Amino acid sequence: MVPFAGYSMPVQYSDLSVGDSHKWTREKASLFDVGHMVQHHLSGPSSPALLELMTPTAISALAPNHSTLSCLLHPGTGGIVDDTVITRLPSPASSPSFYIVTNAACRAKDLAYLSSQIASLDPSAHLTHTVLASQDLIALQGPLSASILSSILSPDAPSLQTLYFGQCASFPLQLANGALSPPCLVSRGGYTGEDGFEISIPPEHTTSITENLMRKNPETLRLAGLGARDSLRLEAGMCLYGHDLDDSTTPVEAGLAWIVPKARRTSGGFHGAEAILPQLKTKKDGGTGVARRRVGLVIDGAPAREGAEIVSDGGEPLGTVTSGCPSPSLGTNIAMGYVRSGWHKAGTEVGVLVRGKRRAARVVRMPFVETRYVREGGGTAPG
């Protein structure tokens, strides 16, 4: 157990090493306790406008029971306050409702940011923001996740075959005693690159639901901790706030330009648009471009950790590693970091200083391991 964002969290469980837990998740399924994540509910007529001010997402185009990755942004600079998943819940058009998940390590900063943004609205704006402090969250991840979750569905629950990546639904789950829980919000997605579900549960039923999942699936489901979660997300090319993202980094620098849809590139109107929109175009095309970019690296020899310097063949500093580990799936050392623009193209040869020694490395496209999300119209498809 280790301290993490004010919680005591398991790095691993006694039955599997971190590497074996990682491989189990890729081959079968694992259950992660992610109750440290901060869950929010935002509702009211002004909620879409507020979200479209704080993020570059086209909230007005988000359908009910659909989710999207986004970023809360600083005014002016466009730096990332936090990355977040925003879900539009079924609600009357006159009072839209959203479920939002943010990072535990950013709890104090995010709540201060959200409070200041809400306070800046016209006093007549009708808006309700609630932190779901008592709500638990678990993540079921791996290629067998759907069949495992199906083992505790009630007969009248919606079919998981029509619940796709980036979608959600609310329905009861079977408890260990055979009774049904109140409706739980089940979202298809996760932080491993595998198919999976994140399940928001009333806290009095979390233990019973978890025990029932484990009891009914003894050959296919294991508990997993922070160690496997970190190596899985890195293989999937996913960022960890405070390491790969921070207040000084914009979505374009972070390789997240795709979260700014075409409509927002035209209309702007979000925090930091004056910095972010010019970054989307190179200087040749009339923009400013960016001076640095997030890249994936495959490294020879010893693994590179956060803070390791990335250099050219001649030793010229190019950037810094922000996350790195041995890849259990690939059997090689992988990392992500930021390098000077021009050195970011796949296949570029660079070096990484590990304990004072230069290790050969090359820039590669991410994800390192193909994602296997179940997408609408495409079955299980690489992402």
Side-chain angles (χ1 to χ4, degrees):
M1 303 291 284
V2 296
F4 183 81
Y7 291 80
S8 183
M9 302 287 292
V11 173
Q12 66 186 91
Y13 290 85
S14 59
D15 59 333
L16 293 173
S17 68
V18 171
D20 287 340
S21 180
H22 176 115
K23 292 176 182 177
W24 185 282
T25 309
R26 290 272 183 250
E27 295 167 5
K28 297 179 182 179
S30 295
L31 195 64
F32 299 81
D33 177 0
V34 290
H36 61 293
M37 302 294 284
V38 187
Q39 302 175 73
H40 311 251
H41 183 251
L42 184 70
S43 63
S46 301
S47 55
L50 177 63
L51 288 170
E52 289 198 339
L53 176 65
M54 298 188 298
T55 78
T57 301
I59 295 295
S60 57
L62 189 63
N65 282 330
H66 283 67
S67 306
T68 185
L69 176 70
S70 192
C71 293
L72 301 173
L73 300 173
H74 285 290
T77 65
I80 299 172
V81 178
D82 198 4
D83 56 318
T84 180
V85 175
I86 301 172
T87 302
R88 189 172 197 135
L89 300 173
S91 53
S94 59
S95 186
S97 179
F98 298 89
Y99 169 72
I100 302 166
V101 180
T102 56
N103 285 298
C106 298
R107 178 188 295 266
K109 179 178 72 167
D110 288 349
L111 293 179
Y113 172 86
L114 290 168
S115 295
S116 69
Q117 294 299 307
I118 292 170
S120 69
L121 296 176
D122 189 294
S124 65
H126 297 288
L127 192 75
T128 301
H129 171 237
T130 305
V131 177
L132 307 176
S134 63
Q135 196 79 350
D136 281 339
L137 191 66
I138 60 174
L140 174 61
Q141 299 285 293
L144 302 184
S145 293
S147 62
I148 290 170
L149 183 56
S150 294
S151 70
I152 64 165
L153 296 185
S154 63
D156 56 351
S159 171
L160 298 181
Q161 293 182 352
T162 55
L163 184 68
Y164 299 105
F165 176 76
Q167 298 179 4
C168 67
S170 292
F171 46 83
L173 298 173
Q174 187 185 70
L175 304 174
N177 63 4
L180 293 177
S181 73
C184 300
L185 182 64
V186 178
S187 305
R188 197 156 199 167
Y191 195 48
T192 64
E194 294 292 335
D195 183 27
F197 304 87
E198 294 193 342
I199 308 169
S200 182
I201 307 173
E204 63 271 22
H205 299 298
T206 307
T207 298
S208 185
I209 287 173
T210 299
E211 288 178 345
N212 204 24
L213 282 168
M214 300 296 294
R215 180 178 62 83
K216 289 196 169 188
N217 301 278
E219 302 301 319
T220 54
L221 183 62
R222 293 286 185 275
L223 297 173
L226 290 177
R229 183 169 160 84
D230 191 54
S231 57
L232 287 160
R233 70 91 190 168
L234 183 52
E235 286 187 349
M238 296 179 175
C239 298
L240 176 61
Y241 194 90
H243 302 261
D244 314 303
L245 304 174
D246 59 27
D247 295 291
S248 67
T249 303
T250 70
V252 184
E253 292 173 315
L256 299 175
W258 59 268
I259 72 170
V260 188
K262 184 177 180 180
R264 301 308 308 272
R265 297 182 186 205
T266 302
S267 65
F270 55 87
H271 286 331
E274 62 270 40
I276 291 170
L277 295 181
Q279 291 180 345
L280 293 167
K281 295 181 180 180
T282 65
K283 291 181 180 179
K284 182 179 66 175
D285 294 326
T288 62
V290 291
R292 60 178 186 145
R293 295 176 182 268
R294 182 172 64 96
V295 297
L297 298 166
V298 172
I299 302 164
D300 295 341
R305 304 296 185 180
E306 181 180 4
E309 190 174 15
I310 304 168
V311 298
S312 68
D313 286 344
E316 179 185 8
L318 300 176
T320 306
V321 169
T322 54
S323 290
C325 72
S327 164
S329 300
L330 302 176
T332 189
N333 298 313
I334 61 174
M336 67 171 70
Y338 286 83
V339 297
R340 190 188 312 162
S341 286
W343 292 82
H344 65 281
K345 296 179 180 178
T348 301
E349 301 289 336
V350 296
V352 177
L353 301 183
V354 180
R355 294 190 290 274
K357 183 176 181 179
R358 185 185 185 280
R359 302 286 183 177
R362 69 181 184 279
V363 176
V364 298
R365 290 186 177 89
M366 294 185 284
F368 298 96
V369 174
E370 282 190 335
T371 56
R372 295 193 285 183
Y373 306 127
V374 176
R375 299 184 185 276
E376 188 170 6
T380 303

